[in-house]
């Protein structure tokens, strides 16, 4: 008699929503990669460098504006809905939206003042006009992240993946039109297009979450203070992680040059293919793990962690083979000869991203269990390591020094997160 158990297991795997989530993320990664290819081919390293410096800086400020409340939203609302407390979930949602709105306005105005005063663009070697048009990106970043959190909180991870992929599709479509028109975008236009797609995605995400909120009860009294205090460690951890990404790019722009910063940004874009695998595992298990931990089901939470990690690692291996074994071919073929100066950088950063994927979404496990302070402590320590290594290695090794510092900090952070998660959740 033929054993049909493997066939049944395969059918269940293919029917799993997680497969659809990874498929959406894969298409998103492909569109983001093609977007980077088109921008590099159309505009060149100098424009890419100015665009990257401006968007990375404004996005960093926007992460500060959201203040970790996107993760608090997922954890609190998902837990409330699990317990049938929809009125409390509604009040939490409304309080967080108001807080992020206020933060976004204050930080956007502060960022604008600093740019006008010449304290941002010039020290980084970037173009001031690109930074000026990036100012609204502070709010766009905050609300994009908050919209994703809202969709995940209501228990729709596939919809969240689709909303997260929307900016890449939109930007790719616009760049394709510019490609056909043979009209190279300036850094200013590239920045405007980038954040415009985030605005569209944020509005879409709130619309999706709004459909589910219609059936919730009237809001119950909820204190904003505890939510903000819960978000502060998560904000600091997320801000420090984003600071690490920004610091590496900014250091290259300041110490080596804008064109080199453009090449570094392209390598970072390739690395985002690995980062998207991490993001999809985080987004897929986040609300589910929060619910599991709220009900004390630790076994199920870790099972979700193991499955997500294995899937992401298997998907990362083919990309790793290409970026490590043929880095010059990857950069020259897709982005152009002027980007091949970052071939060794691509190899070094690829090895760091392998650790990022293979060690799993332990930061999410800690955040969803309320261990935000541990996430903050680890991230702070690793950010300090990044800064120290960058200052030590970049004067001698340039791009490669920046890559080594970045990859080393990732390996350290992921290792410490894995140890902390195993100790905290057992």
């Amino acid at each position: 008699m033929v054993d049909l158990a493997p066939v049944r297991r395969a059918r269940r795997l293919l029917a799993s929503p997680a497969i659809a989530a990874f498929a959406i993320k894969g298409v998103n990664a492909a569109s983001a990669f093609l977007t980077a290819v088109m921008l590099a081919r159309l505009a060149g390293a100098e424009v890419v460098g100015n665009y990257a410096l401006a968007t990375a800086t404004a996005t960093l400020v926007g992460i500060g504006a959201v203040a970790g409340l996107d993760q608090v939203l997922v954890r609190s609302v998902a837990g409330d809905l699990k317990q049938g407390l929809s009125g409390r979930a509604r009040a939490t949602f409304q309080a967080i939206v108001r807080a992020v709105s206020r933060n976004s306005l204050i930080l956007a105005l502060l960022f604008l003042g600093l740019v006008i005063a010449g304290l941002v663009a010039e020290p980084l070697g970037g173009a001031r006009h690109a930074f000026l048009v990036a100012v609204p990106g502070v709010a766009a970043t905050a609300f994009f992240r908050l919209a994703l959190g809202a969709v995940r909180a209501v228990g729709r991870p596939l919809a969240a993946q689709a909303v997260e992929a929307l900016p890449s599709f939109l930007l790719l479509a616009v760049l394709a039109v510019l490609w056909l028109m043979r009209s190279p975008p300036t850094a200013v236009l590239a920045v405007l297009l980038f954040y415009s797609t985030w605005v569209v995605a944020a509005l879409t995400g709130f619309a999706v979450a709004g459909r589910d909120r219609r059936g919730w009860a009237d809001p119950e009294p909820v204190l904003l203070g505890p939510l903000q205090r819960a978000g502060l460690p998560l904000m600091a951890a997320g801000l420090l992680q984003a600071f690490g990404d920004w610091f590496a790019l900014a250091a290259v722009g300041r110490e080596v040059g804008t064109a080199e910063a453009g090449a570094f940004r392209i390598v970072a874009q390739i690395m985002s293919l690995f980062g998207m695998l991490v993001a999809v595992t985080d987004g897929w298990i986040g609300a589910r793990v929060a619910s599991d931990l709220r009900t004390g089901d630790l076994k199920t939470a870790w099972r979700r962690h193991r499955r997500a990690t294995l899937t992401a690692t298997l998907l990362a291996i083919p990309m790793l083979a290409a970026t490590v074994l043929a880095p010059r071919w990857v950069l020259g073929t897709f982005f152009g000869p002027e980007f091949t100066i970052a071939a060794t950088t691509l190899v070094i950063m690829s090895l760091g991203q392998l650790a990022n994927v293979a060690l799993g979404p332990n930061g999410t496990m800690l955040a969803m269990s309320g261990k935000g302070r541990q996430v903050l402590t680890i991230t702070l320590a690793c950010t300090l390591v990044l800064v120290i290594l960058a200052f030590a290695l970049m004067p001698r090794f340039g791009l490669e020094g920046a890559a080594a510092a970045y990859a080393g900090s990732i390996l350290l952070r992921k290792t410490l997160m894995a140890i902390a998660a195993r100790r905290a959740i057992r």
Side-chain angles (χ1 to χ4, degrees):
M1 183 175 179
V2 179
D3 184 7
L4 297 179
V7 176
R8 288 194 293 268
R9 285 196 297 268
R11 290 180 62 182
R12 285 197 299 269
L13 176 63
L14 292 174
S16 170
I19 297 299
F22 274 99
I24 294 172
K25 185 61 73 173
V27 175
N28 184 20
S31 63
F33 182 82
L34 290 175
T35 297
V37 169
M38 285 191 174
L39 183 60
R41 289 287 187 175
L42 279 169
E46 191 77 21
V47 169
V48 171
N50 281 311
Y51 156 80
L53 288 168
T55 54
T57 306
T59 299
L60 181 67
V61 179
I63 293 172
V66 80
L69 291 172
D70 54 335
Q71 294 189 61
V72 173
L73 181 69
V74 175
R75 188 177 70 201
S76 299
V77 171
D80 289 340
L81 294 178
K82 181 78 172 182
Q83 297 179 317
L85 304 174
S86 63
R88 181 175 177 83
R90 181 184 292 277
T92 299
F93 184 91
Q94 292 174 348
I96 288 176
V97 169
R98 288 193 296 268
V100 172
S101 299
R102 181 188 64 246
N103 295 345
S104 298
L105 177 60
I106 294 172
L107 289 183
L109 291 175
L110 177 61
F111 183 55
L112 175 61
L114 293 174
V115 172
I116 293 174
L119 299 176
V120 181
E122 289 80 358
L124 299 179
R128 182 185 294 192
H129 50 276
F131 280 78
L132 285 172
V133 298
V135 169
V138 173
T141 299
F143 280 98
F144 176 60
R145 293 172 70 94
L146 194 59
L148 292 177
V151 178
R152 288 170 180 148
V154 299
R156 302 187 63 174
L158 281 180
Q161 297 294 343
V163 171
E164 190 174 10
L166 185 57
S168 295
F169 289 122
L170 295 175
L171 190 56
L172 177 61
V174 175
L175 289 178
V177 172
L178 295 176
W179 182 290
L180 293 174
M181 296 172 59
R182 297 181 179 179
S183 176
T186 63
V188 168
L189 179 59
V191 171
L192 287 173
L193 292 174
F194 177 78
Y195 283 122
S196 295
T197 62
W198 280 24
V199 170
V200 173
L203 293 173
T204 303
F206 281 118
V208 171
R211 294 181 59 184
D212 292 80
R213 289 192 297 116
R214 292 174 186 171
W216 294 0
D218 292 336
E220 302 173 2
V222 64
L223 297 175
L224 179 61
L227 297 175
Q228 291 178 316
R229 287 191 292 274
L232 286 177
L234 299 175
M235 176 204 70
L239 196 60
L240 285 169
Q241 187 174 342
F243 172 81
D245 297 337
W246 172 85
F247 177 80
L249 177 67
V252 172
R254 179 181 175 84
E255 301 296 330
V256 186
T258 306
E260 286 77 7
F264 191 87
R265 174 63 178 83
I266 289 300
V267 171
Q269 181 63 56
I270 298 173
M271 292 303 95
S272 71
L273 299 176
F274 295 94
M276 285 186 179
L277 294 177
V278 176
V280 74
T281 56
D282 288 353
W284 179 253
I285 73 170
R288 288 168 167 76
V289 166
S291 299
D292 295 335
L293 296 178
R294 179 74 73 92
T295 56
D297 191 356
L298 305 186
K299 183 178 179 180
T300 299
W302 280 115
R303 185 169 64 247
R304 298 187 198 279
H305 177 279
R306 289 192 298 271
R307 289 177 177 175
T309 302
L310 177 61
T311 303
T313 302
L314 291 175
L315 291 174
I317 290 174
M319 294 189 295
L320 182 72
T323 56
V324 170
L325 299 178
R328 186 170 293 273
W329 177 84
V330 170
L331 291 168
T333 301
F334 292 100
F335 302 98
E338 62 181 322
F339 292 94
T340 58
I341 59 173
T344 305
T345 300
L346 178 58
V347 175
I348 296 170
M349 291 182 66
S350 295
L351 296 176
Q353 286 299 323
L354 175 63
N356 190 22
V357 175
L359 289 174
N362 294 294
T364 295
M365 296 292 288
L366 287 169
M368 293 302 107
S369 66
K371 305 295 183 181
R373 292 187 181 277
Q374 291 190 28
V375 176
L376 172 59
T377 301
I378 292 171
T379 306
L380 176 59
C382 295
T383 302
L384 291 175
V385 168
L386 168 62
V387 173
I388 293 169
L389 288 176
F391 280 124
L393 298 175
M394 280 195 64
R396 182 175 179 182
F397 299 105
L399 280 173
E400 291 77 13
Y406 188 77
S409 68
I410 289 177
L411 177 59
L412 179 62
R413 178 171 57 83
K414 295 295 289 191
T415 300
L416 293 177
M417 290 283 191
I419 295 171
R422 285 294 176 181
R423 289 180 175 178
I425 306 172
R426 59 184 180 180

